[in-house]
Amino acid sequence: MSPQRRSGLGTNQEAIRRHNLGTVLRHVHGAGQTSRAELTSLMGLNRSTIAGLVSELESLGIAEHATPLEGSRQGAGRPSARVRIAREGPYVIAVDLGVDRAVVARVGLGGHVIQRAQAPVLRDGEAWQVGAAVATLIRTVIEGAPSAAPLVGIGISVPGLVRRSDGLIRLAPNLEWHDVSFGGIVLAALGLDVPVSLANDADLGALAEHTRGAGVGVDELIYVSGNVGVGAGVISGGHRLEGVGGYAGEVGHLRFNPDGRPCHCGNLGCWETEVGAFAIAEAIQCPPDKVAQLDEVLDEFDRPSTALRATGTSLGQGLASIVNMFNPQVVVLGGYFRSLYRLVGADVDAGLADRALPAPLESVRLELPGLGSDSPLHGAAEIALEPLFVDPVAALGTALVDVRARLAG
């Protein structure tokens, strides 16, 4: 064999090894702790290969040995060695940017939220002002990080249209932003150079609920988010359905009532005009300054009004269009729809049954988020962690250590 062919073979083998290394890490990340025997079964590799991959993750400071569980024996032999996420391993910063507040968390592998902080966001503030506020929160949660723990990246959840190719926020109507490079603004405010990823909040809610929420093990899932506006994230075949530009899921602008109210998008009778935050606020006579906290306002209600029940029916009827279109197994109701469903769940169910086709209706169920209001935050962490699962060695090579000192400098 020629030296050139040998070199190519070595390169391919290294790529396969790094792929397998990332796959092992993804399994441990999803489970939090697992055994080498379970990894062998999941990946179809032999025990010695799995042992080598686990040892490499341990040497990289990503994973560590865990005490075998009682009864976890391989036949009559000794218990299978277990592996878990390292306690002081790599971490990411997750940002959930809302209309009225920003939540920031330091999140480790396994989805463990280590530290979090939040602050109000000025609704009329410029993007650079919001970016500066987010940077202050990031500094707060990094303050407690071990100096040797590497920062892999930052993930940001945004209530708007985010371009898939570069993370540009094309439109965030309730923040009044157009074509904003928010990731760059945050990095400039921090004075750091780390990978930053942005995505729509509903997309990330769907990802998080699929990964570790109400949709674990479900490959056909829709996450419908009420966050002043209305949007959806779609998991199809176990993967995010983003569209060519990243703008899929704008279900709030499906035509619902041709004789309805004008929508801020310029169309008439969009679903959002019937079940969006302002429509619900009008139905319950909620003050305009409380619209961004609509979930909290709804939680104070004991009994729904007739108008609110009608909104629940409209929510169910709109969900029927989504069910007919995508045939999901689970629809997760996020944002203020969580609180609304608790009040008018029977009306939502009736509206869904009224408009959905019988066949897809048979296989769908409505769920509340398993992660509560933190679904987009966890989703932001997942996209920031993704480079570790693609190639752990390369991701750690670009990660920052001793971030506190860098921020202080």
Side-chain angles (χ1 to χ4, degrees), residues 152-371:
V152 174
I154 300 172
I156 304 176
S157 165
V158 178
L161 297 173
V162 180
R163 189 160 67 191
R164 180 180 181 180
S165 60
D166 58 5
L168 182 74
I169 300 174
R170 296 302 309 277
L171 175 65
N174 293 301
L175 293 171
E176 299 183 3
W177 290 359
H178 298 265
D179 294 330
V180 172
S181 181
F182 189 66
I185 290 172
V186 172
L187 291 180
L190 288 170
L192 295 179
D193 184 16
V194 294
V196 59
S197 302
L198 287 82
N200 172 266
D201 55 355
D203 287 342
L204 295 182
L207 174 63
E209 290 296 323
H210 171 65
T211 303
R212 56 184 70 254
V216 172
V218 175
D219 285 344
E220 305 294 335
L221 175 147
I222 312 287
Y223 177 90
V224 182
S225 173
N227 184 11
V228 180
V230 177
V234 180
I235 300 293
S236 181
H239 302 282
R240 288 165 63 199
L241 182 64
E242 301 174 82
V244 64
Y247 313 131
E250 290 300 309
V251 297
H253 299 288
L254 294 173
R255 178 65 66 88
F256 182 79
N257 181 1
D259 300 319
R261 290 178 269 189
C263 181
H264 65 81
C265 73
N267 290 324
L268 191 69
C270 292
W271 190 33
E272 188 172 301
T273 66
E274 302 285 339
V275 300
F278 289 102
I280 296 175
E282 181 181 322
I284 63 174
Q285 299 181 334
C286 171
D289 62 343
K290 293 290 187 181
V291 170
Q293 295 89 37
L294 187 59
D295 54 344
E296 298 171 11
V297 175
L298 288 170
D299 284 340
E300 295 176 359
F301 276 68
D302 293 325
R303 259 193 273 175
S305 64
T306 301
L308 200 58
R309 291 189 61 188
T311 302
T313 300
S314 295
L315 175 59
Q317 291 172 340
L319 289 174
S321 295
I322 298 172
V323 168
N324 292 342
M325 186 182 303
F326 291 103
N327 185 205
Q329 182 179 348
V330 170
V331 175
V332 181
L333 300 176
Y336 56 74
F337 288 144
R338 290 183 304 135
S339 302
L340 181 64
Y341 188 76
R342 291 190 183 103
L343 283 169
V344 295
D347 300 286
V348 176
D349 294 343
L352 173 61
D354 177 55
R355 296 280 181 91
L357 295 171
L361 182 63
E362 291 172 359
S363 56
V364 71
R365 68 178 189 271
L366 302 185
E367 295 279 0
L368 299 181
L371 298 170

Side-chain angles (χ1 to χ4, degrees), residues 74-89:
Q74 297 173 290
R78 62 185 180 184
S80 175
R82 297 188 68 80
V83 58
R84 68 185 179 198
I85 297 300
R87 297 183 187 278
E88 296 189 355

